Amino acid sequence: MKRTLPILILISLLLAGCVDLGGGSKTDYSRQVRVMNEYSYTNSLDKELLYLIVQNDSNKTLDISANVKALNTAGHLVGAKTDSEYCVPAGEKTILSFSFDEPYSKIEYVLDASVSRYTPVIQNLSYVSQSALDKEIVTVTNNGNVVADFVQVHCLFFDGDELVDYKSRYFTDSDSELKPGKEITKELRSYSDYDSTVIILTGRGKFNY
């Protein structure tokens, strides 16, 4: 009977979560990501489009997601959407996009983040953008030594401070890759007049099992 009480105490502590045999608490990386900018506009199909530019302030490569609720002027919920992006390197930005069927006056969002199992590549990509007639001509180069999969260019078009259009395209070869030392050039067209752009790159490397 002498050992029964200590064992019961240990079991109680484990059930209560007071003892961590793993050596420490799990890091909440959602506290280390933040929304830098919110942009929105109504497209030609009367869809209400929202874009969140999210910064990874941690020292890890993260998978980032956001759950967004849209509310009208009466405070009623008119939409709820989730978007995510894999493999956002430390110190880099990404973009999350959402489409709503009804106009809204306010959004509420919850960010989530976890350590990614993909190899980071965005920090090794560079781009050059040149304006032409109603479009941007963008060249993306892989300056690293790791194959970049599913590289995508997201282009936000602005007229002054107002977002007027958004376009995205994959900048990859027939293998859905942008290989080390290679570059790809493509066009992204705006159907509205614009005078400036914001460009965000997304993509990832191999999965680490």
Side-chain angles (χ1 to χ4, degrees), residues 39-54:
Y39 301 117
S40 62
Y41 81 108
T42 305
N43 70 4
S44 59
L45 300 175
D46 291 329
K47 293 289 187 180
E48 305 293 328
L49 304 180
L50 169 69
Y51 304 94
L52 302 181
I53 308 300
V54 183

Side-chain angles (χ1 to χ4, degrees), residues 28-36 52-55 63-68 83 96 98 108-113:
D28 182 5
Y29 286 102
S30 66
R31 297 178 178 272
Q32 299 184 42
V33 296
R34 58 194 169 101
V35 173
M36 300 288 292
L52 302 181
I53 308 300
V54 183
Q55 171 85 24
D63 297 335
I64 297 174
S65 65
N67 178 244
V68 175
D83 191 28
L96 302 176
F98 310 86
E108 298 175 350
Y109 54 80
V110 176
L111 297 177
D112 193 18

Side-chain angles (χ1 to χ4, degrees), residues 121-127 140-144 148 151 178 201-203:
V121 294
I122 295 303
Q123 75 281 2
N124 297 325
L125 303 182
S126 62
Y127 73 88
V140 179
T141 304
N142 185 348
N143 303 297
V151 175
L178 181 55
L201 304 182
T202 58

